[in-house]
Amino acid sequence: MSKALFLDLRNRVLSAVSAGLSHRAAGARFGVSAASVSRWRALAREQQDARPKALGGDRRSERIEAQRDMIPGLLEEKREMTIAALRAALGERGHIFS
């Protein structure tokens, strides 16, 4: 899994850009990509600092959790329903999960 670069490095890069360096020049000077510099500037504008957002973790469970009232009802209709059949039944109702 990737790891966020140090906040100190991010701040030095952003200071260089504020002092007039282009994203490419600042990236080359500090050994990071111009795309990273662009992302860090956007992040700094959004949250007033360049702290990295959390990496990894669960980002999708809220989609299926939103259907927690529907799923037991589907299982009541057919007691021997397989997971594949449950996925298909949810898909028929417009909820697609892997």
Side-chain angles (χ1 to χ4, degrees), residues 3-85:
K3 186 171 109 176
L5 293 173
F6 295 108
L7 182 59
D8 177 56
L9 173 63
R10 291 170 179 236
N11 288 333
R12 286 185 290 149
V13 170
L14 293 177
S15 292
V17 170
S18 295
L21 281 181
S22 69
H23 289 199
R24 286 180 196 257
R29 179 177 179 183
F30 292 98
V32 298
S33 69
S36 290
V37 177
S38 296
R39 282 192 302 271
W40 296 345
R41 281 197 69 204
L43 190 62
R45 279 193 299 267
E46 286 173 16
Q47 59 188 31
Q48 279 43 58
D49 68 2
R51 291 188 192 282
K53 293 181 181 178
L55 292 175
D58 178 21
R59 296 186 182 137
R60 298 183 194 158
S61 66
E62 72 272 356
R63 290 181 49 234
I64 197 160
E65 288 295 326
Q67 309 311 318
R68 70 175 161 254
D69 296 332
M70 181 189 310
I71 293 171
L74 291 171
L75 293 173
E76 284 295 319
E77 291 174 14
K78 187 175 179 187
R79 301 297 270 173
E80 300 295 321
M81 184 178 278
T82 64
I83 292 175

